[in-house]
Amino acid sequence: MSNKPLLTRSEMRRRREQEQKALERNQAIVNKQAQREYEKEEKEIARHYRKELKKQAAVSKSRIAEKQTSKAVNQFLWKAIIIVSLLLILVFMMIFFL
């Protein structure tokens, strides 16, 4: 048998460095894959909430605007009622006195 050791320190160091590099590569691949899955889930969640927002119509009316339109319609109707009643009185007067 020879007096040389089976593995030298430099050989052990080289193998350890190779193993370390392989582990780092594998870790990088796993991290990249996890990041892709995370981004995919984030897109899915964002898409879901975007659809929910589309379903809910934005409120474009306010109480003040509704009251103003109601007030305007009421004023118009009261004016129309007064004009029609005056015309009816005029017609009845014409029927009775002519």
Side-chain angles (χ1 to χ4, degrees):
M1 289 203 134
S2 72
N3 291 339
K4 283 174 81 177
L6 295 176
L7 282 175
T8 61
R9 286 183 183 172
S10 61
E11 180 68 22
M12 288 173 51
R13 189 179 319 115
R14 188 179 60 78
R15 287 183 182 180
R16 195 177 325 123
E17 287 175 358
Q18 284 178 348
E19 288 176 7
Q20 189 69 20
K21 286 180 183 179
L23 283 174
E24 288 174 1
R25 252 184 277 126
N26 288 341
Q27 189 64 31
I29 291 170
V30 168
N31 285 342
K32 189 182 259 187
Q33 207 170 24
Q35 183 67 23
R36 282 186 197 147
E37 289 176 11
Y38 175 76
E39 288 174 359
K40 185 178 179 182
E41 285 293 321
E42 284 293 317
K43 284 181 183 179
E44 197 66 33
I45 291 170
R47 186 179 304 129
H48 171 73
Y49 282 108
R50 215 175 314 124
K51 286 180 182 178
E52 289 296 321
L53 281 176
K54 282 183 181 179
K55 288 179 184 177
Q56 297 174 352
V59 177
S60 60
K61 296 181 181 181
S62 67
R63 285 190 223 160
I64 295 171
E66 288 296 314
K67 284 185 179 182
Q68 288 175 347
T69 55
S70 175
K71 187 176 181 181
V73 169
N74 285 342
Q75 287 177 348
F76 173 75
L77 289 175
W78 276 109
K79 287 178 186 177
I81 290 171
I82 291 172
I83 291 171
V84 168
S85 61
L86 287 175
L87 287 174
L88 279 173
I89 291 171
L90 185 67
V91 168
F92 283 132
M93 287 177 68
M94 288 175 62
I95 291 173
F96 286 124
F97 293 117
L98 290 177

